[in-house]
Amino acid sequence: MLQVILANIIGKAEWFGKILISLPEPINIYIFIGVLTKGNTHLTLLDQKSEHSAENELIQLLLKRQSELNSLLEITNAINKNAPASVLFEMLELIMRVHMKVGKMRLLVKDGNQFGCTSRYGGDNESSTTLQQICKLLNSLKTITNLATSHNELLREYNYFVPVHHKSAMLAFVLIGDFETSPELLSNDLNFMQTMINVIVVALENKKLFKDRIQRERLQREVELASEVQNMMFPSSLPNNDQVKMEALYMPHQNIGGDYFDYIKLNDDEFLWCIADVSGKGISAALLMANLQASLRAWASVDTNLAVIIKQLNKVIIENTNGERFITMFLARYNLKTRQLHFLNAGHNPPILVMGNKIQFLKSGTTVIGAFDELPFINPGNLVLQEDALIFNYTDGLVENSTENVFIDDDELAAFVVNHRKLAAGKLNKSVLNSIQNKHEVRMNTDDVTLLTIKIS
């Protein structure tokens, strides 16, 4: 009989190891039995004093171990088959009722900052408020605790508190009541309950973490695709000829951002460019930026008057955001033959114009677009550009960083631009950024940064 039980257990659990089952009759030796508790194997020494009584006790204990092992195997198989949490909790209730003889149980699992009751049976159902009070009372307990002698009336309704920890954090706990077992098996039974619940809770936690990881990876992929789409909205090429050389440096704070620049060829002699900054960051700002780009290109194809274009853009943004978002923007049109520059600054950081020994900040225009139903004023700017004129456009991420407590004023930025004016447009952009980073010992990476340099020959 004894050999059959041992063989059955050994055949069902690798973690029992190789146990010698060719035992002599009668049994007059010490037998070590692996007791599964908390995922570890402990050894319980049974001293064989009486042949008959010892063998009966041993058989009873082995039968109990076999039942526990079968329960764990069933739960493990259900977990491997990706059974839902409801099924695992039903299996737990069945094992606790039938095999462990527990008359009342409350299983509370941590969800965020609170514990929620995920499985219960027996006794009167407590309210959620009462259960939260119980959680507060038990929060300081770290080990299995007898509640029968507790000073609190709520806790005395149960026999034992069994916590489940993972990496020092309590993931769950179970309250058991109406529980009767022999003194010799009490410790083993409580430890087995703890092990069984630990298996279930950790498996559900791992499943949740896996789902979260899949969701993050899916979101990351979507953001990457959005970034690719956004990059398609920027000009695929910028002019680089004897008359105009234009280079941009775009560095979004996240994969996608709310900064925008564009170059639109109107005809053989004229082109339009802009630089803009949508309020906010990330996906929402990028969506509004896409809306701005589509509207600008649509209106630029039918009207080259900057005042008309800026009014229409303001109308579109108001309709789409209900005045909850705004955009700063610098919009300009240049004629290669006449060298006439027409521009409108809609609340944007003023581009720096360097001509000869003179520096000018291009501020004329209007207020931000998207804040008012009608723009309160429009004052376009007009200039004739000389040879070797340089226009440095940028967004506020280059000159403002509240996190690093850095704020670059117009004059300091202009000095950086003048110092590097002899460089090619692309190298000038990088050199100005590097000069700010090195001088102030900052990274300037908490906001979108866009630089657009235009050199007119």
mmCIF file of all heavy atoms in Angstrom, residues 371-411:
data_model
loop_
_atom_site.group_PDB
_atom_site.id
_atom_site.type_symbol
_atom_site.label_atom_id
_atom_site.label_comp_id
_atom_site.label_asym_id
_atom_site.label_seq_id
_atom_site.Cartn_x
_atom_site.Cartn_y
_atom_site.Cartn_z
ATOM 1 N N ALA A 371 -6.585 81.302 -30.853
ATOM 2 C CA ALA A 371 -7.002 81.826 -29.546
ATOM 3 C C ALA A 371 -8.218 82.748 -29.649
ATOM 4 O O ALA A 371 -8.987 82.870 -28.689
ATOM 5 C CB ALA A 371 -5.846 82.576 -28.895
ATOM 6 N N PHE A 372 -8.399 83.387 -30.798
ATOM 7 C CA PHE A 372 -9.508 84.331 -30.992
ATOM 8 C C PHE A 372 -10.284 83.957 -32.247
ATOM 9 O O PHE A 372 -9.713 83.494 -33.232
ATOM 10 C CB PHE A 372 -8.977 85.772 -31.139
ATOM 11 C CG PHE A 372 -8.138 86.227 -29.966
ATOM 12 C CD1 PHE A 372 -6.755 86.155 -30.014
ATOM 13 C CD2 PHE A 372 -8.747 86.718 -28.819
ATOM 14 C CE1 PHE A 372 -5.979 86.564 -28.950
ATOM 15 C CE2 PHE A 372 -7.979 87.139 -27.744
ATOM 16 C CZ PHE A 372 -6.598 87.059 -27.806
ATOM 17 N N ASP A 373 -11.599 84.183 -32.184
ATOM 18 C CA ASP A 373 -12.424 83.907 -33.363
ATOM 19 C C ASP A 373 -11.971 84.750 -34.554
ATOM 20 O O ASP A 373 -11.962 84.276 -35.699
ATOM 21 C CB ASP A 373 -13.901 84.200 -33.056
ATOM 22 C CG ASP A 373 -14.473 83.214 -32.046
ATOM 23 O OD1 ASP A 373 -13.905 82.104 -31.930
ATOM 24 O OD2 ASP A 373 -15.457 83.550 -31.369
ATOM 25 N N GLU A 374 -11.627 85.990 -34.285
ATOM 26 C CA GLU A 374 -11.092 86.879 -35.306
ATOM 27 C C GLU A 374 -9.774 87.448 -34.801
ATOM 28 O O GLU A 374 -9.680 87.893 -33.650
ATOM 29 C CB GLU A 374 -12.068 88.022 -35.612
ATOM 30 C CG GLU A 374 -13.403 87.577 -36.192
ATOM 31 C CD GLU A 374 -13.281 87.063 -37.629
ATOM 32 O OE1 GLU A 374 -12.272 87.421 -38.296
ATOM 33 O OE2 GLU A 374 -14.171 86.318 -38.072
ATOM 34 N N LEU A 375 -8.766 87.439 -35.646
ATOM 35 C CA LEU A 375 -7.486 88.011 -35.246
ATOM 36 C C LEU A 375 -7.660 89.512 -35.017
ATOM 37 O O LEU A 375 -8.188 90.212 -35.882
ATOM 38 C CB LEU A 375 -6.429 87.758 -36.329
ATOM 39 C CG LEU A 375 -6.050 86.279 -36.531
ATOM 40 C CD1 LEU A 375 -5.122 86.132 -37.730
ATOM 41 C CD2 LEU A 375 -5.399 85.716 -35.279
ATOM 42 N N PRO A 376 -7.233 90.029 -33.877
ATOM 43 C CA PRO A 376 -7.499 91.438 -33.548
ATOM 44 C C PRO A 376 -6.757 92.432 -34.438
ATOM 45 O O PRO A 376 -7.204 93.570 -34.601
ATOM 46 C CB PRO A 376 -7.024 91.547 -32.091
ATOM 47 C CG PRO A 376 -6.052 90.425 -31.914
ATOM 48 C CD PRO A 376 -6.538 89.319 -32.793
ATOM 49 N N PHE A 377 -5.654 92.020 -35.021
ATOM 50 C CA PHE A 377 -4.894 92.916 -35.907
ATOM 51 C C PHE A 377 -3.979 92.078 -36.789
ATOM 52 O O PHE A 377 -3.631 90.937 -36.445
ATOM 53 C CB PHE A 377 -4.048 93.911 -35.093
ATOM 54 C CG PHE A 377 -3.015 93.241 -34.223
ATOM 55 C CD1 PHE A 377 -1.734 92.965 -34.694
ATOM 56 C CD2 PHE A 377 -3.331 92.868 -32.917
ATOM 57 C CE1 PHE A 377 -0.797 92.335 -33.892
ATOM 58 C CE2 PHE A 377 -2.385 92.233 -32.109
ATOM 59 C CZ PHE A 377 -1.114 91.966 -32.600
ATOM 60 N N ILE A 378 -3.613 92.614 -37.925
ATOM 61 C CA ILE A 378 -2.654 91.978 -38.828
ATOM 62 C C ILE A 378 -1.767 93.071 -39.410
ATOM 63 O O ILE A 378 -2.240 93.947 -40.134
ATOM 64 C CB ILE A 378 -3.359 91.199 -39.968
ATOM 65 C CG1 ILE A 378 -4.216 90.067 -39.391
ATOM 66 C CG2 ILE A 378 -2.309 90.623 -40.927
ATOM 67 C CD1 ILE A 378 -4.965 89.267 -40.448
ATOM 68 N N ASN A 379 -0.501 93.027 -39.080
ATOM 69 C CA ASN A 379 0.468 94.014 -39.561
ATOM 70 C C ASN A 379 1.606 93.288 -40.273
ATOM 71 O O ASN A 379 2.626 92.950 -39.643
ATOM 72 C CB ASN A 379 1.024 94.850 -38.403
ATOM 73 C CG ASN A 379 -0.062 95.613 -37.671
ATOM 74 O OD1 ASN A 379 -0.963 96.184 -38.300
ATOM 75 N ND2 ASN A 379 0.001 95.612 -36.344
ATOM 76 N N PRO A 380 1.473 93.032 -41.574
ATOM 77 C CA PRO A 380 2.514 92.304 -42.302
ATOM 78 C C PRO A 380 3.818 93.092 -42.339
ATOM 79 O O PRO A 380 3.839 94.317 -42.241
ATOM 80 C CB PRO A 380 1.926 92.150 -43.703
ATOM 81 C CG PRO A 380 0.455 92.404 -43.551
ATOM 82 C CD PRO A 380 0.339 93.385 -42.435
ATOM 83 N N GLY A 381 4.916 92.367 -42.480
ATOM 84 C CA GLY A 381 6.221 92.994 -42.624
ATOM 85 C C GLY A 381 6.725 92.838 -44.046
ATOM 86 O O GLY A 381 6.431 91.836 -44.708
ATOM 87 N N ASN A 382 7.480 93.825 -44.515
ATOM 88 C CA ASN A 382 8.022 93.807 -45.875
ATOM 89 C C ASN A 382 9.462 94.283 -45.849
ATOM 90 O O ASN A 382 9.776 95.312 -45.225
ATOM 91 C CB ASN A 382 7.200 94.699 -46.808
ATOM 92 C CG ASN A 382 5.763 94.223 -46.940
ATOM 93 O OD1 ASN A 382 5.480 93.267 -47.645
ATOM 94 N ND2 ASN A 382 4.853 94.896 -46.250
ATOM 95 N N LEU A 383 10.329 93.542 -46.522
ATOM 96 C CA LEU A 383 11.742 93.885 -46.582
ATOM 97 C C LEU A 383 12.315 93.515 -47.948
ATOM 98 O O LEU A 383 11.777 92.645 -48.643
ATOM 99 C CB LEU A 383 12.535 93.136 -45.503
ATOM 100 C CG LEU A 383 12.300 93.493 -44.032
ATOM 101 C CD1 LEU A 383 12.978 92.467 -43.139
ATOM 102 C CD2 LEU A 383 12.823 94.894 -43.743
ATOM 103 N N VAL A 384 13.413 94.169 -48.296
ATOM 104 C CA VAL A 384 14.192 93.776 -49.460
ATOM 105 C C VAL A 384 15.500 93.185 -48.937
ATOM 106 O O VAL A 384 16.235 93.844 -48.193
ATOM 107 C CB VAL A 384 14.478 94.972 -50.393
ATOM 108 C CG1 VAL A 384 15.373 94.532 -51.551
ATOM 109 C CG2 VAL A 384 13.179 95.555 -50.926
ATOM 110 N N LEU A 385 15.760 91.950 -49.297
ATOM 111 C CA LEU A 385 16.934 91.260 -48.777
ATOM 112 C C LEU A 385 18.165 91.540 -49.628
ATOM 113 O O LEU A 385 18.108 91.530 -50.861
ATOM 114 C CB LEU A 385 16.680 89.752 -48.725
ATOM 115 C CG LEU A 385 15.540 89.275 -47.824
ATOM 116 C CD1 LEU A 385 15.517 87.758 -47.756
ATOM 117 C CD2 LEU A 385 15.641 89.871 -46.425
ATOM 118 N N GLN A 386 19.249 91.800 -48.974
ATOM 119 C CA GLN A 386 20.518 92.014 -49.659
ATOM 120 C C GLN A 386 21.217 90.670 -49.894
ATOM 121 O O GLN A 386 20.784 89.625 -49.401
ATOM 122 C CB GLN A 386 21.413 92.927 -48.813
ATOM 123 C CG GLN A 386 20.813 94.286 -48.495
ATOM 124 C CD GLN A 386 21.653 95.062 -47.499
ATOM 125 O OE1 GLN A 386 22.741 94.624 -47.106
ATOM 126 N NE2 GLN A 386 21.163 96.228 -47.089
ATOM 127 N N GLU A 387 22.308 90.728 -50.624
ATOM 128 C CA GLU A 387 23.088 89.515 -50.844
ATOM 129 C C GLU A 387 23.670 89.032 -49.522
ATOM 130 O O GLU A 387 23.976 89.821 -48.625
ATOM 131 C CB GLU A 387 24.212 89.778 -51.841
ATOM 132 C CG GLU A 387 23.726 90.033 -53.256
ATOM 133 C CD GLU A 387 24.875 90.194 -54.229
ATOM 134 O OE1 GLU A 387 26.047 90.084 -53.778
ATOM 135 O OE2 GLU A 387 24.626 90.421 -55.407
ATOM 136 N N ASP A 388 23.806 87.711 -49.433
ATOM 137 C CA ASP A 388 24.348 87.050 -48.238
ATOM 138 C C ASP A 388 23.491 87.291 -46.993
ATOM 139 O O ASP A 388 24.000 87.253 -45.864
ATOM 140 C CB ASP A 388 25.778 87.514 -47.967
ATOM 141 C CG ASP A 388 26.730 87.114 -49.089
ATOM 142 O OD1 ASP A 388 26.508 86.044 -49.687
ATOM 143 O OD2 ASP A 388 27.668 87.879 -49.370
ATOM 144 N N ALA A 389 22.198 87.520 -47.217
ATOM 145 C CA ALA A 389 21.293 87.636 -46.062
ATOM 146 C C ALA A 389 21.084 86.252 -45.446
ATOM 147 O O ALA A 389 21.085 85.224 -46.140
ATOM 148 C CB ALA A 389 19.965 88.235 -46.500
ATOM 149 N N LEU A 390 20.906 86.248 -44.141
ATOM 150 C CA LEU A 390 20.696 84.987 -43.416
ATOM 151 C C LEU A 390 19.475 85.149 -42.520
ATOM 152 O O LEU A 390 19.359 86.143 -41.797
ATOM 153 C CB LEU A 390 21.933 84.644 -42.585
ATOM 154 C CG LEU A 390 21.917 83.340 -41.775
ATOM 155 C CD1 LEU A 390 23.333 82.799 -41.637
ATOM 156 C CD2 LEU A 390 21.305 83.522 -40.386
ATOM 157 N N ILE A 391 18.580 84.171 -42.572
ATOM 158 C CA ILE A 391 17.392 84.187 -41.708
ATOM 159 C C ILE A 391 17.399 82.906 -40.885
ATOM 160 O O ILE A 391 17.360 81.798 -41.422
ATOM 161 C CB ILE A 391 16.090 84.291 -42.514
ATOM 162 C CG1 ILE A 391 16.116 85.537 -43.410
ATOM 163 C CG2 ILE A 391 14.885 84.336 -41.586
ATOM 164 C CD1 ILE A 391 14.930 85.659 -44.333
ATOM 165 N N PHE A 392 17.451 83.094 -39.568
ATOM 166 C CA PHE A 392 17.502 81.960 -38.644
ATOM 167 C C PHE A 392 16.151 81.833 -37.948
ATOM 168 O O PHE A 392 15.748 82.682 -37.160
ATOM 169 C CB PHE A 392 18.618 82.183 -37.610
ATOM 170 C CG PHE A 392 18.781 81.054 -36.625
ATOM 171 C CD1 PHE A 392 19.417 79.881 -36.979
ATOM 172 C CD2 PHE A 392 18.288 81.173 -35.324
ATOM 173 C CE1 PHE A 392 19.581 78.847 -36.067
ATOM 174 C CE2 PHE A 392 18.435 80.154 -34.405
ATOM 175 C CZ PHE A 392 19.083 78.980 -34.777
ATOM 176 N N ASN A 393 15.411 80.757 -38.264
ATOM 177 C CA ASN A 393 14.099 80.475 -37.676
ATOM 178 C C ASN A 393 14.247 79.374 -36.616
ATOM 179 O O ASN A 393 15.033 78.435 -36.789
ATOM 180 C CB ASN A 393 13.113 79.990 -38.742
ATOM 181 C CG ASN A 393 13.049 80.909 -39.953
ATOM 182 O OD1 ASN A 393 12.170 81.755 -40.063
ATOM 183 N ND2 ASN A 393 13.970 80.735 -40.903
ATOM 184 N N TYR A 394 13.443 79.454 -35.567
ATOM 185 C CA TYR A 394 13.560 78.460 -34.500
ATOM 186 C C TYR A 394 12.266 78.409 -33.686
ATOM 187 O O TYR A 394 11.425 79.308 -33.773
ATOM 188 C CB TYR A 394 14.740 78.792 -33.577
ATOM 189 C CG TYR A 394 14.594 80.113 -32.870
ATOM 190 C CD1 TYR A 394 14.126 80.189 -31.558
ATOM 191 C CD2 TYR A 394 14.897 81.322 -33.520
ATOM 192 C CE1 TYR A 394 13.969 81.404 -30.907
ATOM 193 C CE2 TYR A 394 14.745 82.542 -32.877
ATOM 194 C CZ TYR A 394 14.285 82.578 -31.575
ATOM 195 O OH TYR A 394 14.116 83.770 -30.939
ATOM 196 N N THR A 395 12.128 77.355 -32.896
ATOM 197 C CA THR A 395 10.994 77.245 -31.970
ATOM 198 C C THR A 395 11.507 77.432 -30.543
ATOM 199 O O THR A 395 12.716 77.401 -30.288
ATOM 200 C CB THR A 395 10.287 75.882 -32.092
ATOM 201 O OG1 THR A 395 11.242 74.834 -31.879
ATOM 202 C CG2 THR A 395 9.670 75.716 -33.476
ATOM 203 N N ASP A 396 10.579 77.596 -29.599
ATOM 204 C CA ASP A 396 10.980 77.975 -28.242
ATOM 205 C C ASP A 396 11.755 76.895 -27.498
ATOM 206 O O ASP A 396 12.391 77.165 -26.484
ATOM 207 C CB ASP A 396 9.758 78.398 -27.425
ATOM 208 C CG ASP A 396 8.732 77.282 -27.278
ATOM 209 O OD1 ASP A 396 8.960 76.170 -27.789
ATOM 210 O OD2 ASP A 396 7.674 77.528 -26.658
ATOM 211 N N GLY A 397 11.727 75.653 -27.999
ATOM 212 C CA GLY A 397 12.503 74.600 -27.353
ATOM 213 C C GLY A 397 13.998 74.869 -27.380
ATOM 214 O O GLY A 397 14.741 74.312 -26.566
ATOM 215 N N LEU A 398 14.452 75.727 -28.284
ATOM 216 C CA LEU A 398 15.871 76.062 -28.367
ATOM 217 C C LEU A 398 16.294 77.030 -27.271
ATOM 218 O O LEU A 398 17.449 77.012 -26.834
ATOM 219 C CB LEU A 398 16.182 76.671 -29.740
ATOM 220 C CG LEU A 398 17.613 77.143 -29.969
ATOM 221 C CD1 LEU A 398 18.571 75.956 -30.015
ATOM 222 C CD2 LEU A 398 17.728 77.976 -31.243
ATOM 223 N N VAL A 399 15.386 77.867 -26.823
ATOM 224 C CA VAL A 399 15.776 78.970 -25.933
ATOM 225 C C VAL A 399 15.121 78.910 -24.556
ATOM 226 O O VAL A 399 15.454 79.712 -23.686
ATOM 227 C CB VAL A 399 15.443 80.335 -26.594
ATOM 228 C CG1 VAL A 399 16.295 80.529 -27.836
ATOM 229 C CG2 VAL A 399 13.954 80.434 -26.930
ATOM 230 N N GLU A 400 14.186 77.967 -24.341
ATOM 231 C CA GLU A 400 13.516 77.885 -23.045
ATOM 232 C C GLU A 400 13.552 76.453 -22.525
ATOM 233 O O GLU A 400 13.222 75.517 -23.237
ATOM 234 C CB GLU A 400 12.054 78.334 -23.158
ATOM 235 C CG GLU A 400 11.878 79.773 -23.598
ATOM 236 C CD GLU A 400 10.408 80.131 -23.766
ATOM 237 O OE1 GLU A 400 9.551 79.306 -23.361
ATOM 238 O OE2 GLU A 400 10.117 81.211 -24.296
ATOM 239 N N ASN A 401 13.963 76.321 -21.281
ATOM 240 C CA ASN A 401 13.970 75.012 -20.640
ATOM 241 C C ASN A 401 13.756 75.225 -19.146
ATOM 242 O O ASN A 401 14.702 75.475 -18.395
ATOM 243 C CB ASN A 401 15.291 74.278 -20.906
ATOM 244 C CG ASN A 401 15.256 72.839 -20.434
ATOM 245 O OD1 ASN A 401 14.631 72.519 -19.433
ATOM 246 N ND2 ASN A 401 15.917 71.961 -21.177
ATOM 247 N N SER A 402 12.516 75.167 -18.726
ATOM 248 C CA SER A 402 12.200 75.413 -17.316
ATOM 249 C C SER A 402 12.770 74.336 -16.409
ATOM 250 O O SER A 402 13.120 74.603 -15.255
ATOM 251 C CB SER A 402 10.682 75.507 -17.131
ATOM 252 O OG SER A 402 10.047 74.311 -17.571
ATOM 253 N N THR A 403 12.876 73.109 -16.915
ATOM 254 C CA THR A 403 13.412 72.012 -16.111
ATOM 255 C C THR A 403 14.869 72.273 -15.742
ATOM 256 O O THR A 403 15.296 72.040 -14.602
ATOM 257 C CB THR A 403 13.304 70.672 -16.868
ATOM 258 O OG1 THR A 403 11.937 70.435 -17.198
ATOM 259 C CG2 THR A 403 13.829 69.519 -16.024
ATOM 260 N N GLU A 404 15.630 72.764 -16.704
ATOM 261 C CA GLU A 404 17.041 73.051 -16.460
ATOM 262 C C GLU A 404 17.272 74.523 -16.115
ATOM 263 O O GLU A 404 18.414 74.951 -15.975
ATOM 264 C CB GLU A 404 17.868 72.665 -17.689
ATOM 265 C CG GLU A 404 17.828 71.181 -17.989
ATOM 266 C CD GLU A 404 18.607 70.794 -19.238
ATOM 267 O OE1 GLU A 404 18.322 71.341 -20.316
ATOM 268 O OE2 GLU A 404 19.506 69.958 -19.132
ATOM 269 N N ASN A 405 16.160 75.271 -16.031
ATOM 270 C CA ASN A 405 16.207 76.680 -15.636
ATOM 271 C C ASN A 405 17.120 77.497 -16.558
ATOM 272 O O ASN A 405 18.007 78.230 -16.109
ATOM 273 C CB ASN A 405 16.662 76.809 -14.179
ATOM 274 C CG ASN A 405 16.366 78.187 -13.610
ATOM 275 O OD1 ASN A 405 15.412 78.840 -14.019
ATOM 276 N ND2 ASN A 405 17.186 78.636 -12.674
ATOM 277 N N VAL A 406 16.877 77.352 -17.843
ATOM 278 C CA VAL A 406 17.657 78.086 -18.842
ATOM 279 C C VAL A 406 16.705 78.857 -19.739
ATOM 280 O O VAL A 406 15.740 78.293 -20.271
ATOM 281 C CB VAL A 406 18.512 77.126 -19.696
ATOM 282 C CG1 VAL A 406 19.229 77.893 -20.809
ATOM 283 C CG2 VAL A 406 19.523 76.411 -18.827
ATOM 284 N N PHE A 407 16.992 80.142 -19.915
ATOM 285 C CA PHE A 407 16.193 80.988 -20.799
ATOM 286 C C PHE A 407 17.153 81.892 -21.570
ATOM 287 O O PHE A 407 17.842 82.722 -20.979
ATOM 288 C CB PHE A 407 15.194 81.823 -19.987
ATOM 289 C CG PHE A 407 14.220 80.989 -19.202
ATOM 290 C CD1 PHE A 407 14.492 80.628 -17.890
ATOM 291 C CD2 PHE A 407 13.049 80.534 -19.793
ATOM 292 C CE1 PHE A 407 13.610 79.847 -17.165
ATOM 293 C CE2 PHE A 407 12.153 79.750 -19.076
ATOM 294 C CZ PHE A 407 12.429 79.403 -17.762
ATOM 295 N N ILE A 408 17.211 81.685 -22.863
ATOM 296 C CA ILE A 408 18.121 82.439 -23.731
ATOM 297 C C ILE A 408 17.361 83.630 -24.313
ATOM 298 O O ILE A 408 16.315 83.451 -24.949
ATOM 299 C CB ILE A 408 18.652 81.546 -24.873
ATOM 300 C CG1 ILE A 408 19.166 80.209 -24.340
ATOM 301 C CG2 ILE A 408 19.722 82.284 -25.674
ATOM 302 C CD1 ILE A 408 20.303 80.313 -23.379
ATOM 303 N N ASP A 409 17.874 84.821 -24.122
ATOM 304 C CA ASP A 409 17.185 85.992 -24.684
ATOM 305 C C ASP A 409 17.588 86.193 -26.144
ATOM 306 O O ASP A 409 18.507 85.544 -26.661
ATOM 307 C CB ASP A 409 17.448 87.249 -23.861
ATOM 308 C CG ASP A 409 18.921 87.634 -23.800
ATOM 309 O OD1 ASP A 409 19.663 87.360 -24.762
ATOM 310 O OD2 ASP A 409 19.344 88.210 -22.771
ATOM 311 N N ASP A 410 16.885 87.108 -26.817
ATOM 312 C CA ASP A 410 17.092 87.325 -28.251
ATOM 313 C C ASP A 410 18.522 87.740 -28.576
ATOM 314 O O ASP A 410 19.115 87.265 -29.547
ATOM 315 C CB ASP A 410 16.116 88.394 -28.761
ATOM 316 C CG ASP A 410 14.674 87.914 -28.749
ATOM 317 O OD1 ASP A 410 14.471 86.691 -28.593
ATOM 318 O OD2 ASP A 410 13.763 88.754 -28.878
ATOM 319 N N ASP A 411 19.084 88.606 -27.770
ATOM 320 C CA ASP A 411 20.426 89.116 -28.050
ATOM 321 C C ASP A 411 21.483 88.022 -27.929
ATOM 322 O O ASP A 411 22.413 87.952 -28.741
ATOM 323 C CB ASP A 411 20.752 90.272 -27.099
ATOM 324 C CG ASP A 411 19.893 91.501 -27.358
ATOM 325 O OD1 ASP A 411 19.431 91.659 -28.507
ATOM 326 O OD2 ASP A 411 19.669 92.289 -26.423
#
